[in-house]
Amino acid sequence: MTVDTDLCIGSGACVLSAPEGFELDAARQSCPRHEVMGPSDAVLDAAENCPVEAIAIVEEGSGAAVFPPAD
Ligand code: SF4
């Protein structure tokens, strides 16, 4: 997963809802804790609830979009 730091406004919502997936850096930008991790409903919820849709999740290997979903 990735966080677009041009979009992230540092709300911290993803860190609160999925602390295993995200942390805030010194500039209050969200950073994924892991480039690759197993499926996580909490991380998916965090991506869905990010107010600026800064979080992108793809399947390892296939690269298929998990969030935002492909059209
Ligand atoms: S929820 Fe979105 S805007 Fe808020 S810290 Fe996480 S990535 Fe940034």
Side-chain angles (χ1 to χ4, degrees), residues 8-24:
C8 176
I9 57 172
S11 70
C14 57
V15 178
L16 287 174
S17 62
E20 72 276 28
F22 304 94
E23 59 188 347
L24 290 183

Side-chain angles (χ1 to χ4, degrees), residues 2-11 25 27-32 50-56:
T2 58
V3 173
D4 186 335
T5 53
D6 288 336
L7 294 176
C8 176
I9 57 172
S11 70
D25 67 13
R28 286 196 60 83
Q29 293 268 287
S30 176
C31 300
C50 172
V52 293
E53 296 190 8
I55 300 169

